[in-house]
Amino acid sequence: SLPLLQAARKKNSLDLLELSEAELEEQFVRGDGPGGQATNKTNNCVVLKHIPSGIVVKCHQTRSVEKNRKIAREILQEKVDLFYKGEDSDVFKEKKTSEKQKQEKKRRAKENLERKKLFKEMQQLDKE
């Protein structure tokens, strides 16, 4: 089975639990990684904590604090939904469906590769 909190961050989920601002604790910290002065001297990384569940999300995807706040809230909402609903969550179901599609695509690609291999072998035999 999939680790539940790793399934978060899917775009099409609609039926998520709502978060109230009173349940959130927000901090702004310096980000890390590449970016030089723009990263090292600005506090544009958002750390958001959902107090009742204890789930923490850190977002530093853009240089904009406002965009990072919005993205952090979306990710946190999906993770909280997964935490409370578990396998009944839309996020989990979506992730499970995409995993099945990915496995099916791999299986078909492998079959096609085998067919091509057999075809080439048959051509080699015909030439001899």
Side-chain angles (χ1 to χ4, degrees):
S1 72
L2 294 166
L4 285 180
L5 294 181
Q6 285 186 358
R9 198 66 186 126
K10 301 301 278 176
K11 294 277 187 202
N12 302 332
S13 303
L14 301 172
D15 188 28
L16 300 176
L17 294 173
E18 291 297 318
L19 300 177
S20 71
E21 289 295 318
E23 297 175 331
L24 303 179
E25 187 178 293
E26 187 174 45
Q27 290 180 308
F28 303 99
V29 296
R30 288 198 176 110
D32 54 358
Q37 185 176 3
T39 299
N40 300 334
K41 289 194 174 184
T42 58
N43 291 341
N44 56 6
C45 179
V46 178
V47 177
L48 203 56
K49 180 178 182 180
H50 185 249
I51 298 166
S53 66
I55 296 173
V56 177
V57 169
K58 186 176 179 181
C59 180
H60 187 230
Q61 293 182 7
T62 69
R63 291 167 70 180
S64 164
V65 176
E66 289 305 314
K67 286 181 184 175
N68 286 336
R69 288 181 77 204
K70 185 177 184 233
I71 294 168
R73 278 170 172 69
E74 289 170 2
I75 296 170
L76 185 65
Q77 186 178 20
E78 291 176 1
K79 288 193 177 198
V80 167
D81 190 67
L82 278 168
F83 181 78
Y84 286 117
K85 291 184 181 176
E87 292 186 7
D88 295 331
S89 171
D90 287 347
V91 178
F92 184 80
K93 290 175 185 173
E94 228 175 81
K95 179 73 173 178
K96 198 111 168 143
T97 304
S98 70
E99 283 294 318
K100 284 182 182 178
Q101 289 172 347
K102 190 176 177 182
Q103 287 175 352
E104 180 63 22
K105 191 174 179 180
K106 274 186 178 180
R107 186 188 62 76
R108 276 183 281 166
K110 196 173 181 180
E111 283 178 1
N112 283 341
L113 194 64
E114 288 295 320
R115 278 194 211 109
K116 286 179 183 178
K117 207 175 191 180
L118 285 171
F119 183 72
K120 284 184 179 180
E121 287 175 7
M122 295 288 273
Q123 281 183 332
Q124 287 294 330
L125 288 175
D126 286 347
K127 287 181 180 178
E128 293 175 1

